[in-house]
Amino acid sequence: QVKVAEYGGGLVQPGGSLRLSCEFYGTILSINDMAWYRQAPGKERDLVAVINSGDSTNYADSVKGRFTISRDSAKNTVYLQMNNLKPEDTAVYYCYADIVRTILPRDQEVWGQGTLVTVSS
């Protein structure tokens, strides 16, 4: 069984910063892609940023230059540093990992429980 603990989120003023983190633990052999998604009220869940096992990254156009995704493979943890936050960044943020387990079945996609980020003055 693989579990996840998601941290961060909260209320921040426009222009402010927040850091989200997500730790995966349990029967983990390795982790392929790790990512952050977000879902604003009344909208679909969208990809924010993704990082692969080689530390290559991709970002949604709306967050390029403001958000940075990183990972600590030794800790099975993914981070999202969010700078210059805007009201339109308000959403529930979910972490995701494509995990190879030590037991069968080998592959498991794991989602965090979600954390609310509110950008408002």
Side-chain angles (χ1 to χ4, degrees), residues 35-108:
W36 289 93
Y37 288 74
R38 68 185 180 187
Q39 186 167 19
K43 296 188 177 181
E44 295 185 349
R45 188 176 298 187
D46 293 325
L47 177 67
V48 175
V50 59
I51 184 168
N52 67 16
S53 57
D55 289 339
S56 293
T57 58
N58 275 294
Y59 296 90
D61 288 342
S62 58
V63 306
K64 282 181 181 177
R66 300 188 298 122
F67 290 11
T68 302
I69 188 171
S70 61
R71 63 191 286 172
D72 184 334
S73 294
K75 297 181 179 180
N76 293 327
T77 300
V78 62
Y79 306 95
L80 186 67
Q81 177 66 43
M82 304 184 291
N83 299 328
N84 190 21
L85 281 159
K86 304 176 181 181
E88 52 264 41
D89 294 319
T90 295
V92 177
Y93 284 72
Y94 299 89
C95 59
Y96 161 90
D98 178 15
I99 290 173
V100 180
R101 305 200 310 168
T102 57
I103 59 174
L104 297 177
R106 288 293 188 198
D107 296 320
Q108 182 177 1

